[in-house]
């Protein structure tokens, strides 16, 4: 899922400075699970903003809502009536949600309340780690189910580099070396021979480097 | 001859080769380059010019290589995958060889987190092994990675790094084999303090027959003080320093640490000369270029073949 | 501005905070007029949303009374509550408010005296005494 975290409150307050009445919109999908932008976080953030503005002698009115999902146009209807009454929306969905809000409610500013961080999962309660960089050309079958693109600090396809030591990446003792993990898993699978082959230069065209991406599924189009 | 470089010739002659390292200045001060190069002239067969080593912004390795070439030294231009994509890399190789540079050492490069521009975006379009294969393709087939004909004739002696002290240890020789297969004509290793582990690694290298397909140069770096030894032992990823070396450095009397470091370095070189399959030594004495002559001399490596 | 009679919302765990409050009342100890007590089945129920909302709706301070470490009937409810309080204290500081507006107070069930003292101490803090 998409992992995000709340922007610093100072930044949010600055964005909202020109406004007296806003909608604070959470999302019921990924960011609810990673506890950055669900109903609970909407409540806490709304209170925090109100208290801050009250304290500054410049109160703000905040309508709170949490959409089922902010990343699909059909759910935008859930915010339609509420949007009529406000000057702007602060969305605490991922960047996709914020953009869909902006596109749907074209004449009102949509502000991002979160920093959309990465694609990953909660490794333990309260700890989230990255797993995929959406490169558009998956190589997990070659690398023992461990992604070298997202999890190696240098996205090496023929790792590990010389900085790998004691299972950790050269950038930090808190980061596992993806290539050590790959080596260990392939060894466990009896597939170490995979690593003797040189993986050729990657076709990054399927990644963001090829420009904004689009998938058209004729079979699904109406 | 793949490149006709001096380094290649020394290997051809079967002489134990010597290279040293030169760190370009953090600016465009040519005097710094000249001063460092002066100490190395006549002492080594070629000089590695680092490419923004440890991700610190410095004069480019191409320009610095050209400067020392003009001073009569032979550069080994280092090139990392961190800062350029395949377009930049191939273009820089055309330029570098046009300027007369004949050796290139292919590296993945230290992550920018170590350096002075930690907010930068890294590239890693290619990794070091892919970089070798691209340069080999340009040299041997006259084709760019994309398949275009190369105008002219690119002659290059290709090098790569190997770290016998990185993990997983059992995989390190296999990875070297990949580098050799990709096109590494010579190898410079990470600095060696742990001779036992290095010997063990060399045995694996010989078992794979790699010493007959590439020229392996053992890396050495003189320790400057007991503090530095302790710091490196704890904090530098990819380097192992045995306790007895640290002890020797720490035990050296005040003001004698540097001398002890150089002594250890010379002893290491003596041992390297005896190991089957080791064809040379690479001396990494960054910011200590002026101490290289005494190391080379005392290790009995002078005079260098001309 | 904090009035002379600050509004304090005390979220009280039914295993410790509530009995301590009742004990304080039974001893006839002085408790401020502005004190409002909310019973929770466990300190772990002290959700960040409730605590923040209380301030948002006009409380001058929020206190969370829960069990001492190791005494929680639900094992870790009190520890969670304390972590949440700390999280909100940080959020208060970021908007320029005193973190003392949200405090975590471990109490034993029969410590009415301590309950009253902690509330009084909070009032004093708020009034800058
Ligand atoms: S290889 Fe690409 S698609 Fe597969 S997990 Fe990694 S980034 Fe995602
Ligand atoms: S240490 Fe491992 S994870 Fe880190 S850059 Fe090197 S190969 Fe990648």
């Amino acid at each position: 899922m998409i992992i995000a975290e709340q922007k610093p409150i100072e930044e949010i307050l600055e964005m909202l400075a020109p406004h007296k009445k806003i909608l604070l919109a959470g999302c019921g999908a990924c960011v609810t699970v990673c506890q950055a932008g669900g109903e609970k976080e909407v409540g806490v953030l709304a209170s925090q903003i109100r208290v801050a503005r009250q304290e500054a002698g410049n109160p703000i009115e905040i309508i709170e809502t949490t959409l089922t999902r902010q990343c699909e146009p059909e759910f935008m209807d859930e915010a339609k009536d509420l949007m009529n009454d406000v000057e702007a929306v602060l969305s605490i969905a991922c960047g996709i949600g914020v953009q869909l809000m902006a596109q749907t409610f074209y004449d009102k500013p949509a502000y991002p309340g979160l920093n959309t961080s990465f694609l990953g999962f909660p490794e333990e309660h309260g700890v989230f780690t990255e797993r995929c960089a959406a490169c558009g050309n998956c190589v997990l079958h070659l690398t023992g189910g461990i992604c070298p693109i997202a999890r190696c600090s240098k996205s090496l396809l023929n790792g590990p580099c010389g900085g790998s030591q004691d299972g950790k990446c050269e950038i930090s003792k808190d980061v596992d070396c993806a290539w050590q993990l790959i080596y260990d898993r392939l060894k466990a699978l009896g597939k170490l021979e995979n690593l003797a082959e040189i993986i050729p230069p990657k076709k990054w065209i399927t990644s963001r480097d090829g420009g904004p991406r689009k998938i058209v599924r004729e079979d699904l189009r109406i | 001859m793949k490149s006709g470089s001096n380094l290649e010739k020394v290997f051809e002659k079967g002489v134990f080769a010597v290279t040293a390292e030169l760190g370009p200045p953090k600016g465009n001060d040519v005097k710094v380059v000249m001063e460092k190069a002066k100490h190395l002239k006549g002492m080594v067969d070629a000089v590695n010019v680092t490419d923004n080593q440890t991700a610190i912004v410095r004069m480019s390795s191409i320009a610095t290589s050209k400067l020392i070439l003009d001073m009569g030294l032979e550069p080994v231009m280092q090139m990392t995958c961190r800062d350029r994509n395949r377009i930049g890399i191939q273009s820089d190789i055309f330029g570098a060889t046009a300027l007369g540079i004949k050796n290139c050492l292919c590296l993945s490069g230290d992550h920018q987190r170590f350096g002075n521009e930690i907010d930068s975006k890294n590239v890693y379009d290619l990794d070091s092994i892919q970089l070798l294969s691209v340069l080999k393709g340009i040299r041997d087939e006259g084709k760019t990675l994309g398949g275009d004909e190369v105008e002219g004739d690119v002659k290059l002696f290709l090098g790569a790094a190997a770290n016998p002290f990185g993990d997983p240890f059992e995989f390190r020789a296999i990875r070297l084999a990949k580098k050799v297969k990709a096109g590494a004509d010579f190898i410079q290793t990470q600095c060696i303090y742990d001779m036992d582990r290095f010997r063990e690694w060399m045995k694996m290298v010989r078992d794979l027959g790699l010493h007959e397909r590439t020229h392996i140069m053992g890396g050495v770096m003189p320790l400057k003080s007991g503090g530095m030894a302790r710091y490196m032992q704890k904090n530098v990823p990819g380097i192992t320093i045995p306790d007895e070396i640290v002890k020797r450095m720490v035990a050296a009397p005040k003001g004698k640490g540097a001398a002890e470091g150089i002594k250890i370095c010379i002893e290491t070189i003596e041992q390297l000369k005896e190991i089957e399959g080791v064809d040379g030594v690479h001396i990494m004495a960054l910011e200590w270029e002026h101490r290289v002559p005494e190391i080379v001399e005392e290790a009995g490596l002078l005079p260098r073949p001309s | 501005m904090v009035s002379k009679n600050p509004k304090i919302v005390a979220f009280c765990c039914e295993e410790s905070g509530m009995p301590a409050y009742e004990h304080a009342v039974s001893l006839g100890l002085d408790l401020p007029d502005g004190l409002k007590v909310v019973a929770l089945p466990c300190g772990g129920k002290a959700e960040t949303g409730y605590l923040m909302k209380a301030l948002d709706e006009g409380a001058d301070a929020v206190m969370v009374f829960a069990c001492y470490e190791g005494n929680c009937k639900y094992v870790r409810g009190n520890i969670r509550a304390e972590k949440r309080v700390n999280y909100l204290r940080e959020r208060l500081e970021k908007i320029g408010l005193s973190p003392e507006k949200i405090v975590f107070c471990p109490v034993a069930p029969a410590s009415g005296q301590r309950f009253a003292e902690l509330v009084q101490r909070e009032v004093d803090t708020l009034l800058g005494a």
Side-chain angles (χ1 to χ4, degrees):
Chain A
M1 65 173 161
I2 293 175
I3 309 291
E5 62 178 347
Q6 199 195 295
K7 273 186 177 292
I9 186 71
E10 301 86 337
E11 205 180 323
I12 294 176
L13 289 171
E14 204 179 310
M15 287 187 237
L16 299 180
H19 301 295
K20 294 271 182 218
K21 185 169 185 185
I22 63 151
L23 178 68
L24 173 46
C27 170
C30 304
V31 293
T32 292
V33 186
C34 70
Q35 301 193 34
E39 202 174 341
K40 270 194 201 167
E41 293 74 35
V42 167
V44 175
L45 181 59
S47 293
Q48 191 187 14
I49 296 170
R50 273 192 291 255
V51 169
R53 288 283 293 259
Q54 187 69 41
E55 194 69 14
N58 178 19
I60 185 170
E61 203 179 318
I62 302 178
I63 300 176
E64 300 171 34
T65 188
T66 301
L67 275 58
T68 310
R69 275 214 285 284
Q70 279 193 41
C71 58
E72 273 187 86
E74 59 189 276
F75 296 109
M76 286 292 115
D77 276 353
E78 296 175 13
K80 213 163 165 190
D81 294 339
L82 299 173
M83 281 303 285
N84 285 333
D85 293 347
V86 297
E87 299 158 28
V89 55
L90 174 65
S91 161
I92 55 170
C94 70
I96 305 162
V98 181
Q99 293 184 64
L100 197 48
M101 280 282 187
Q103 181 177 322
T104 311
F105 307 106
Y106 200 70
D107 54 351
K108 292 187 179 165
Y111 299 109
L114 301 185
N115 288 322
T116 303
S117 307
F118 51 80
L119 307 180
F121 72 88
E123 205 164 279
E124 52 183 271
H125 217 75
V127 178
F128 306 91
T129 51
E130 182 164 18
R131 284 296 180 276
C132 172
C135 76
N137 186 4
C138 198
V139 299
L140 288 174
H141 57 301
L142 301 174
T143 57
I146 289 142
C147 173
I149 310 300
R151 297 177 69 185
C152 165
S153 302
K154 302 175 187 169
S155 298
L156 305 178
L157 285 164
N158 296 283
C161 75
S164 172
Q165 207 165 42
D166 302 326
K168 298 297 171 190
C169 172
E170 68 174 27
I171 69 161
S172 157
K173 291 196 168 87
D174 296 331
V175 177
D176 289 333
C177 168
W179 276 97
Q180 176 75 52
L181 298 174
I182 292 170
Y183 178 86
D184 293 344
R185 180 94 205 290
L186 288 176
K187 191 169 176 186
L189 294 175
K191 287 254 164 138
L192 272 183
E193 72 269 14
N194 277 20
L195 292 186
E197 292 303 316
I198 296 175
I199 300 184
K202 189 169 170 69
K203 299 183 194 310
W204 292 107
I205 188 165
T206 59
S207 180
R208 241 296 303 161
D209 309 86
R213 293 170 278 178
K214 182 177 186 172
I215 292 175
V216 180
R217 285 272 306 269
E218 284 306 336
D219 56 323
L220 296 178
R221 300 186 86 183
I222 321 171
Chain B
M1 282 270 190
K2 289 170 169 158
S3 68
S5 77
N6 186 49
L7 184 61
E8 187 179 6
K9 284 183 197 151
V10 171
F11 284 131
E12 291 279 292
K13 283 185 201 151
V15 176
F16 193 79
V18 184
T19 52
E21 214 155 86
L22 183 150
K26 295 195 214 172
N28 67 351
D29 192 347
V30 178
K31 285 200 302 292
V32 176
V33 179
M34 297 182 111
E35 179 62 24
K36 289 179 173 177
K38 200 175 73 194
H39 299 294
L40 301 175
K41 194 158 181 185
M43 297 292 146
V44 295
D45 304 314
V47 175
N48 276 40
V49 178
T50 56
D51 180 11
N52 297 301
Q53 181 162 21
T54 60
I56 295 200
V57 185
R58 293 173 182 274
M59 186 187 287
S60 77
S61 62
I62 300 186
T64 314
S65 292
K66 172 63 174 159
L67 288 172
I68 68 162
L69 188 65
D70 290 346
M71 292 176 66
L73 284 94
E74 173 165 288
V76 174
M77 180 181 80
Q78 295 195 352
M79 178 170 279
T80 72
C81 300
R82 182 192 55 228
D83 309 325
R84 331 164 168 72
N85 65 10
R86 61 191 79 181
I87 301 172
I89 284 175
Q90 296 182 98
S91 156
D92 279 353
I93 284 297
F94 293 164
T97 48
L99 291 171
I101 293 160
K102 293 179 180 151
N103 308 301
C104 177
L105 187 82
C106 302
L107 302 167
S108 51
D110 297 318
H111 194 271
Q112 73 270 21
R113 273 236 205 153
F114 292 106
N116 58 358
E117 293 290 357
I118 58 167
D119 286 328
S120 69
K121 185 176 193 300
N122 62 34
V123 182
Y124 294 114
D125 179 12
L126 304 175
D127 63 29
S128 58
I129 292 180
Q130 295 163 345
L131 172 59
L132 282 163
S133 67
V134 170
L135 300 192
K136 185 176 195 294
I138 289 178
R139 180 188 70 196
D140 296 350
E141 278 136 53
K143 292 249 171 65
T144 62
L145 177 58
D148 275 8
E149 292 290 333
V150 174
E151 294 175 321
D153 191 9
V154 173
K155 299 256 194 229
L156 267 179
F157 198 48
L158 295 173
N163 186 2
F165 312 101
D167 287 320
F169 181 55
E170 324 81 78
F171 183 61
R172 288 288 155 184
I174 302 170
R175 187 153 188 269
L176 179 66
K178 289 174 83 167
K179 292 199 170 184
V180 173
K181 190 167 156 198
D185 302 311
F186 69 99
I187 300 293
Q188 291 171 334
T189 76
Q190 176 61 280
C191 27
I192 303 162
Y193 299 102
D194 185 346
M195 253 307 162
D196 293 341
R197 180 150 162 176
F198 181 72
R199 283 181 207 279
E200 212 180 311
W201 178 77
M202 273 309 293
K203 175 155 190 325
M204 293 194 274
V205 168
R206 285 193 303 269
D207 288 347
L208 293 170
L210 299 174
H211 62 307
E212 281 157 2
R213 294 162 57 204
T214 193
H215 298 286
I216 296 167
M217 309 181 76
V220 295
M221 180 163 92
L223 293 165
K224 296 182 184 176
S225 65
M228 172 187 179
R230 260 198 303 240
Y231 176 84
M232 284 183 45
Q233 185 184 42
K234 272 212 200 84
N235 299 308
V236 181
I239 292 188
T240 46
I241 307 187
D243 289 336
E244 72 250 30
I245 298 267
V246 176
K247 263 191 218 134
R248 266 182 75 177
M249 288 303 295
V250 172
K254 219 172 162 358
K256 292 275 189 315
E260 187 65 20
I262 286 182
K263 194 158 161 245
I264 294 171
C265 183
I266 292 163
E267 289 168 18
T268 310
I269 299 175
E270 298 288 0
Q271 294 178 47
L272 286 174
K273 287 202 258 178
E274 302 305 320
I275 298 175
E276 186 192 347
V278 176
D279 294 345
V281 61
H282 176 56
I283 304 165
M284 290 169 265
L286 281 172
E287 304 315 316
W288 237 24
E289 287 84 354
H290 62 281
R291 304 299 293 264
V292 171
E294 62 189 283
I295 297 173
V296 178
E297 171 149 31
E298 285 180 42
L301 297 168
L302 289 182
R304 300 311 310 155
S306 52
Chain C
M1 268 320 293
V2 178
S3 72
K4 277 231 146 49
N5 245 324
K7 281 189 234 156
I8 295 180
V9 180
F11 289 93
C12 296
C13 161
E14 276 175 353
E15 301 296 325
S16 52
M18 268 325 268
Y21 164 68
E22 281 154 9
H23 189 224
V25 173
S26 71
L27 294 176
L29 299 174
D30 242 2
L31 291 169
D33 296 343
L35 179 71
K36 186 174 172 210
V37 174
V38 180
L40 298 176
C42 168
K45 193 66 201 143
E47 299 272 2
T48 47
Y50 298 165
L51 308 185
M52 207 65 198
K53 191 99 188 150
L55 291 184
D56 181 9
E57 300 204 326
D60 295 302
V62 171
M63 304 180 75
V64 178
F65 289 92
C67 303
Y68 279 104
E69 200 172 329
N71 288 355
C72 177
K73 191 174 162 194
Y74 303 98
V75 189
R76 293 177 51 84
N78 50 353
I79 297 169
R80 293 224 175 85
E82 186 172 9
K83 281 192 177 179
R84 293 196 194 119
V85 164
N86 288 338
Y87 169 75
L88 292 177
R89 284 166 68 97
E90 260 177 50
R91 291 184 83 114
L92 288 183
E93 275 193 291
K94 293 227 173 92
I95 56 173
L97 294 183
S98 161
E100 299 308 327
K101 283 167 120 19
I102 300 188
V103 290
F104 178 78
C105 311
V107 286
S111 55
Q113 191 69 38
R114 177 171 154 83
F115 184 96
E117 275 168 23
L118 287 167
V119 173
Q120 190 51 48
R121 195 189 296 167
E122 184 63 18
V123 171
D124 294 345
T125 312
L126 290 171
L127 297 177

